[in-house]
């Protein structure tokens, strides 16, 4: 009597264990090594795809603001020039989102501390071996974001954070 | 209640329901009065035929080319089949359809749209494609333009897409349900107000990739072959814009120039020619440098007309009675709208 | 493939003619192919699990069937030399062996369900314990949840238990059992059918019956009306309310409860109408899953009218066996001896009820809030069971009042609100938040700003008017069809039925919350 | 039989069980009552009603119940 009870449960457990090991996991999307790219400016972290409203409120008013509507009047590209960076915002019927960030001087750094003027090696050391390097640029991707370092004679001459356009 | 009677009732009921649904469809489909960019494609059909030059492309085309000036000054009969953010494959299929209506001598394509290689936005797709009459070209254009969230059925039965507008209907929807007056002058959307361009030009933003998408260039190549097959000369143009939002990068310019040389097509980039054309960014733009207003467009058309006549032998048809009679109507309509808009 | 997608409508438009054109003996084959095609849309890898369940229950059922027939032949040929005593012992031994085979099937299939659906929940619970003693956390695997796994698993296990109880004959053809398990209309959200009811209908050839087919289509249309025009429209407002529970407190919670009650009624009964409508169009009769639930006067009655097939499944296969099994018998003897007769009598029943409701809650979803939802329902039922003598005395003291219509209405409203309150646990998905918000209903008084506030949730005045109109239509249809089938009566007046159906169709196409403007949501019960 | 009626009456005093013919179908006895009844019968008549016997036919009237009890008794 005892033996058959044990057999039944042992078999059941074996099945469950094998299932959980084999358990067909959802295909994990292969998260690239680099974490999420972001930039710290006046105490506010700026990221691509972030809703623009709070960020614009948190940052003091920009040096200049230029808005260009699209042909059909459905949305607009807005460019906010700040002292050491330019913020491109995409406005559409479902809200405004940060589309691109261009650093313009060495007062602002990426989340790994790289600013304009740093050496090429410092960039490679911080962001790992180069994933994409076409001539005068170092390009790193993470998720659907991209971080681009323009390089001129060994030094970083421009930093851009943007979405990968198809 | 015998069977025959039941079937009769069923057939009548289905007929009535279809009638009601098609009327509701006419009601809820957007009429594009406030944003006329959506209504232009549909206006071509009752003016189709007898054009020597057909322009296709996005807002840069229908805001910079004035067919009325081309006719008035050079006797060139032309039509602009432009629409908001018209993608290159949409231009291709529009051309494919246009060649069924007429055989123009030349086709002019504005190259800015080559920067998009994949479907962009559902709203712009609707503005360009809903106006088209049903044909294999429209069917293929829809297939090529649909974003993931879109369904082909939503194009076949626009009621399925726009049904939610039933609670936001305005007088316009009832007034223009069955037919609506034209919003454009042979495809040109007149803009008379003036918003000068103030600060210095800024460069466009840096791009992650400066090469034009391969899919777009393939469609350009197909467009060239299509024009060749139909005996039309494909001419490439880049309308003069001066804004960081629609910046024309040198890398793109190089690629277009090499392509044009390779296939020996003529390519006119009007941006460096602004002084020669006489475009003054303080008076000739209605949105601070992004598009030309009517005055700028007339200047550009005057300049381009001369080129078309000299280099591309587009005939002067003012002497032909029948064509000039047709164009007389269009010229009156053009002048009337211009006076009226300037009053506002 | 959701019921509200174009693909599904295309699927039906192709299936119906094919089903009636193909030779009669192939009809069930067409259904099987259609069901697996429908399932393939949900993902190829899910098919593995439904096959696993089907084959395992086929094997176990045949094995039990074989053991049972072996027992009969043995008894038949040894009838003379076995006296009553030995025959009884042999039968008991055989029954025990069959029980073990059954147990094997149950453990295997419920094992699959437990692993795929509850590992995450169990591990997160385990992690909480680990955090308390500071050992860090386990990485929770994101397991794939096959569509409708809870429904088809319960249905096949019901079949296994029925075979063990010799309530239904063993299905010798695995393909037929596969159809019983994966019959596509009921895959998404039930009803959970019994093998004895459904099996015969599935394999019997069906000739085209115009009246049944029209009734089926009408019911499908009615399901889509409730689902698209009412349920999915309400969902827009609910999403805003649920996105930020802290902001929408007090009066908003009451509105959420009311909205969710209407939304889940329209959504669930709509989905079931589509399911039963499809089955009827194919010539089959599925069990009704609802019977005017909002007219029930008590929670117990409510659970006999809402999701009937689930309730009866748990009663037949969990509640009764649990309350009559040997350990429970010993417990009741013990409790009767020690706690006196009146209290002792209640112990087994209450214990069985609590366990059943715990499992019902767990079945609804892998989350603490579902379990609390189940136990709360159980608490209400047991409390009202205790108060029964009090109600009886009240009825005796005020006979005319208690039998009056008004009192009936009062009880119905009371049950509706009580069920709505408990059901909001589904919405907030977090027990703490839900209790806090229940509290806020009393403490926070923001009814003043409600009219303006409700218009900020993504619905305009027109939408609320449509929802109200929808509720009136649903109520009147429910009242009219209570006495005699509405479609039956309508069948006599084709013009009127065409006007109504045409109106419904136009309402669905025009006012339905579907398409790019809205993202027509899943059925609430869809994530099972 | 009398004992059985007495148990039934203790649960629902206002129902005349001797005459009633469809206790389950009319919803007079619901699942809770059935289980209480079964546990009572098991202890009073010293039989064990298995779960598969809990079906409407056996519980619809007092006579049917009595027949079930007798059947289980002499099996």
């Amino acid at each position: 009597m005892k033996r058959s009870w044990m057999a039944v449960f042992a078999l059941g457990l074996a099945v469950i264990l094998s299932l959980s090991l084999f358990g067909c996991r959802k295909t994990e999307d292969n998260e690239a090594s680099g974490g999420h790219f972001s930039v710290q400016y006046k105490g506010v972290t700026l990221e691509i795809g972030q809703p623009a409203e709070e960020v614009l409120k948190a940052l003091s008013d920009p040096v200049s603001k230029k808005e260009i509507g699209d042909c059909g009047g459905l949305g607009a590209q807005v460019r906010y020039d700040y002292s050491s960076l330019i913020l491109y915002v995409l406005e559409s019927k479902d809200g405004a989102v940060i589309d691109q960030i261009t650093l313009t001087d060495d007062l602002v750094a990426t989340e790994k501390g790289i600013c304009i003027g740093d050496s090429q090696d410092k960039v490679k050391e911080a962001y790992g071996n180069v994933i994409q390097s076409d001539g005068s640029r170092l390009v790193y991707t993470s998720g659907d974001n991209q971080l681009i370092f323009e390089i001129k004679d060994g030094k970083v001459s421009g930093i851009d954070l943007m979405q990968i356009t198809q | 209640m015998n069977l025959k009677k039941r079937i009769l009732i069923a057939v009548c009921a289905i007929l009535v329901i279809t009638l009601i649904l098609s009327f509701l469809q006419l009601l809820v489909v957007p009429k594009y009065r406030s944003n006329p960019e959506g209504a232009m494609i549909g206006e071509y059909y009752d003016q189709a035929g007898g054009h020597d030059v057909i322009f296709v492309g996005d807002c840069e085309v229908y805001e910079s080319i004035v067919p009325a000036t081309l006719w008035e000054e050079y006797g060139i009969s032309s039509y602009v089949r432009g629409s908001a953010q018209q993608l290159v494959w949409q231009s291709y299929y529009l051309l494919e359809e246009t060649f069924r209506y007429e055989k123009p001598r030349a086709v002019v394509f504005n190259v800015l749209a080559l920067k998009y290689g994949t479907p962009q936005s559902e709203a712009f797709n609707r503005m360009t494609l809903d106006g088209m009459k049903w044909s294999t070209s429209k069917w293929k254009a829809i297939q090529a333009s649909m974003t993931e969230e879109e369904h082909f059925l939503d194009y076949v039965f626009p009621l399925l897409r726009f049904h939610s507008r039933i609670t936001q209907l305005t007088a316009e929807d009832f007034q223009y349900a069955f037919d609506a007056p034209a919003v454009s002058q042979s495809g040109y959307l007149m803009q008379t107000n003036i918003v000068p361009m103030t600060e210095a030009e800024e460069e466009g933003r840096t791009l992650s990739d400066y090469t034009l998408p391969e899919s777009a260039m393939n469609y350009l190549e197909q467009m060239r072959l299509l024009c060749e097959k139909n005996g039309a000369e494909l001419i490439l143009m880049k309308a003069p814009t001066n804004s960081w939002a629609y910046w024309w990068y040198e890398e793109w310019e190089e690629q277009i120039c090499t392509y044009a040389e390779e296939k020996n097509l003529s390519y006119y980039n009007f941006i460096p020619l602004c002084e020669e054309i006489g475009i003054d960014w303080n008076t000739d733009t209605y949105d601070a440098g992004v598009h030309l207003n009517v005055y700028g467009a007339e200047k550009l058309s005057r300049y381009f007309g001369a080129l078309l006549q000299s280099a591309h032998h587009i005939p002067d048809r003012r002497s032909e009675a029948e064509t000039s009679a047709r164009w007389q109507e269009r010229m009156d309509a053009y002048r009337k709208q211009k006076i009226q808009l300037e009053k506002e | 493939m959701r019921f509200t997608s174009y693909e599904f409508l295309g699927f039906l438009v192709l299936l119906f003619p094919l089903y009636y054109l193909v030779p009669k003996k192939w009809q069930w084959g067409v259904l099987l192919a259609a069901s697996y095609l429908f399932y393939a849309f949900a993902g190829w890898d899910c098919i593995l699990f439904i096959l696993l369940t089907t084959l395992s229950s086929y094997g176990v059922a045949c094995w039990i069937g074989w053991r049972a027939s072996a027992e009969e032949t043995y008894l038949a040929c040894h009838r003379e030399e076995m006296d009553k005593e030995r025959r009884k012992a042999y039968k008991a031994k055989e029954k025990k062996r069959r029980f073990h085979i059954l147990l094997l099937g149950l453990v295997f299939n419920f094992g699959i369900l437990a692993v795929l659906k509850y590992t995450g929940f169990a591990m997160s619970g385990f992690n909480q314990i680990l955090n308390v003693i500071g050992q860090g956390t386990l990485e929770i695997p994101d397991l794939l949840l096959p569509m409708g796994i809870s429904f088809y698993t319960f249905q096949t296990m019901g079949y296994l238990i029925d075979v063990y109880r010799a309530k239904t004959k063993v299905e010798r053809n695995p393909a037929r059992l596969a159809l019983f398990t994966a019959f596509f209309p009921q895959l998404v959200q039930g009803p959970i059918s019994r093998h004895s009811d459904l099996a015969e209908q599935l394999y019997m050839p069906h000739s085209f019956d115009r009246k049944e087919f029209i009734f089926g289509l009408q019911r499908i249309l009615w399901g889509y009306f409730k689902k698209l025009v009412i349920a999915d429209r309400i969902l827009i407002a609910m999403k805003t309310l649920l996105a930020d529970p802290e902001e929408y407190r007090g009066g908003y919670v009451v509105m959420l409860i009311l909205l969710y009650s209407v939304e889940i009624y329209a959504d669930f009964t709509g989905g079931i109408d589509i399911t039963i409508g499809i089955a009827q169009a194919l010539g089959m009769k599925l069990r009704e899953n609802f019977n005017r639930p909002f007219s029930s006067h008590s929670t117990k009655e409510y659970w006999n009218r809402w999701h009937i097939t689930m309730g009866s499944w748990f009663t037949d296969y969990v509640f009764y066996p649990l309350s009559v099994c040997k350990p429970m018998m010993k417990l009741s003897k013990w409790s009767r001896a020690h706690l006196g007769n009146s209290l002792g009598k209640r112990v087994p029943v209450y214990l069985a009820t609590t366990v059943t409701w715990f499992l019902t809650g767990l079945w609804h979803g892998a989350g603490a809030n579902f379990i609390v939802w189940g136990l709360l329902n159980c608490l209400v039922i047991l409390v009202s069971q205790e108060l029964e003598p009090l109600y009886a005395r009240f009825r005796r003291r005020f006979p005319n009042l208690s039998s009056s219509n008004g009192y009936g209405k009062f009880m119905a409203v009371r049950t509706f609100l009580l069920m709505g309150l408990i059901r909001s646990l589904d919405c907030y998905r977090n027990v703490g938040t839900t209790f806090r918000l229940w509290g806020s209903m009393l403490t926070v008084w923001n009814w003043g700003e409600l009219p303006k506030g409700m218009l900020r949730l993504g619905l305009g005045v027109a939408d609320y008017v449509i929802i109200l109109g929808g509720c009136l239509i649903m109520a009147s249809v429910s009242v009219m069809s209570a006495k005699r089938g509405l479609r039956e009566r309508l069948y006599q007046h084709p013009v009127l039925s065409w006007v109504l159906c045409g109106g419904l169709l136009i309402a669905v196409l025009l006012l339905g919350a579907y398409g790019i403007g809205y993202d027509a949501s899943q059925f609430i019960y869809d994530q099972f | 039989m009398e004992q059985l009626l007495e148990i039934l009456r203790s649960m629902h005093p206002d129902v005349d069980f001797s005459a009633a013919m469809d206790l389950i179908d009319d919803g007079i006895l619901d699942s809770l009552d059935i289980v209480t009844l079964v546990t009572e019968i098991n202890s009073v008549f010293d039989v064990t009603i298995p779960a598969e016997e809990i079906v409407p036919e056996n519980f619809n009237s007092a006579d049917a119940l009595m027949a079930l009890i007798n059947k289980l008794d002499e099996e």
Side-chain angles (χ1 to χ4, degrees), chain A residues 66 71 99-100 137 146 160, chain B residues 59 202 205-208:
Chain A
K66 295 186 198 59
C71 317
D99 192 35
Q100 184 163 347
R137 316 167 96 190
Q146 216 169 29
D160 260 84
Chain B
C59 46
E202 277 99 1
R205 57 173 88 179
T206 44
L207 298 182
S208 59

Side-chain angles (χ1 to χ4, degrees), chain B residues 1 3 6 9-11 13-14 16-17 20-21 24 28 122 126 147 149-154 159-161 163-164 166-167, chain C residues 6-7 210 214 233 462-463 466 491-495 498 501-503 505-506 508-518:
Chain B
M1 192 54 74
L3 191 60
R6 272 184 182 280
I9 292 173
V11 166
I14 290 172
V16 167
I17 292 171
I20 295 174
L21 284 177
L24 287 173
V28 291
E122 186 262 349
R126 298 303 300 211
T147 54
E149 58 186 14
E150 286 183 88
H151 265 283
F152 187 73
L153 269 180
D154 292 344
L159 176 71
L160 298 177
R161 164 67 184 84
H163 62 91
S164 48
I166 192 73
T167 50
Chain C
Y6 294 137
E7 294 83 4
R210 201 168 48 75
I214 289 176
R233 172 166 265 108
D463 294 304
I466 293 170
Y491 193 68
Q492 315 312 335
H493 318 280
V495 176
W498 267 110
C501 291
L505 180 67
I506 291 171
V508 169
L509 288 176
L510 201 61
L511 306 174
Y514 65 91
I516 293 176
Y518 318 80

Side-chain angles (χ1 to χ4, degrees), chain B residues 273-291:
Chain B
L273 302 171
C274 279
E275 294 79 24
E276 198 182 328
I277 299 168
I279 289 175
D280 163 5
W281 288 107
N282 295 325
T283 59
D284 292 345
T285 166
Y286 70 90
D287 53 8
V290 183
H291 301 97

Side-chain angles (χ1 to χ4, degrees), chain B residues 71 233 261 304 316:
Chain B
W71 171 260
E233 182 197 0
E261 268 140 36
F304 198 10
D316 175 346

Side-chain angles (χ1 to χ4, degrees), chain C residues 46 89 139:
Chain C
C46 305
E139 188 257 340

Side-chain angles (χ1 to χ4, degrees), chain C residues 314-431:
Chain C
F314 273 100
T315 315
D316 289 352
Y317 298 120
V318 174
F319 184 61
Y320 287 150
L322 202 61
S323 46
V324 295
C325 63
K326 289 221 172 8
M328 193 62 89
M329 282 302 128
K330 279 202 216 69
L331 176 71
S332 86
K333 278 200 181 53
W334 178 84
S335 62
R336 224 182 271 280
H338 289 74
L339 309 170
N341 203 355
S342 71
L343 193 54
K345 193 153 62 81
R346 287 186 172 69
V347 163
V349 178
Y350 285 10
L351 184 60
T353 315
T354 315
V355 169
T356 309
W357 273 105
F358 174 83
L359 291 176
T360 312
L362 197 60
W363 177 79
H364 269 81
N369 60 308
F370 290 109
I371 294 172
V372 169
W373 168 83
L375 296 179
L376 268 181
N377 272 303
C378 171
L379 183 69
V380 168
I381 290 175
L382 296 184
V383 162
S384 67
Q385 176 77 4
E386 279 312 308
L387 298 180
E388 196 47 40
L390 202 66
Y391 285 142
R393 214 176 309 115
F394 171 82
R395 271 199 292 279
R396 268 200 303 283
R397 282 253 299 294
F398 306 97
N400 41 32
L401 172 67
S402 64
S403 61
S404 76
N405 207 323
Y407 184 66
K409 288 271 182 310
F410 158 72
M411 282 201 288
V413 168
R414 182 201 61 190
T415 313
F416 171 78
L417 292 177
L418 189 59
M419 283 295 107
L421 187 72
I422 299 174
R423 196 183 297 118
S424 62
L425 273 160
D426 279 5
C427 302
Y428 294 114
R429 299 266 167 157
N430 172 306
V431 183

Side-chain angles (χ1 to χ4, degrees), chain B residues 117-180:
Chain B
T118 54
Q120 292 300 306
S121 113
E122 186 262 349
F124 285 125
N125 284 347
R126 298 303 300 211
M127 281 191 189
T128 306
L129 299 173
D130 275 346
M132 282 174 85
K133 280 205 165 83
W134 272 101
S135 64
T136 52
S137 308
K138 173 166 183 173
W139 194 79
K140 282 183 270 181
I142 293 172
Q143 297 295 351
S145 318
M146 281 207 295
T147 54
E148 299 91 26
E149 58 186 14
E150 286 183 88
H151 265 283
F152 187 73
L153 269 180
D154 292 344
Y155 282 94
V156 177
F157 304 110
L159 176 71
L160 298 177
R161 164 67 184 84
F162 296 110
H163 62 91
S164 48
R165 284 192 70 244
I166 192 73
T167 50
Q168 310 130 17
L169 290 186
T170 59
E172 258 180 21
D173 290 304
F174 292 91
Q175 189 185 353
Y176 301 120
F178 294 98
D179 75 339

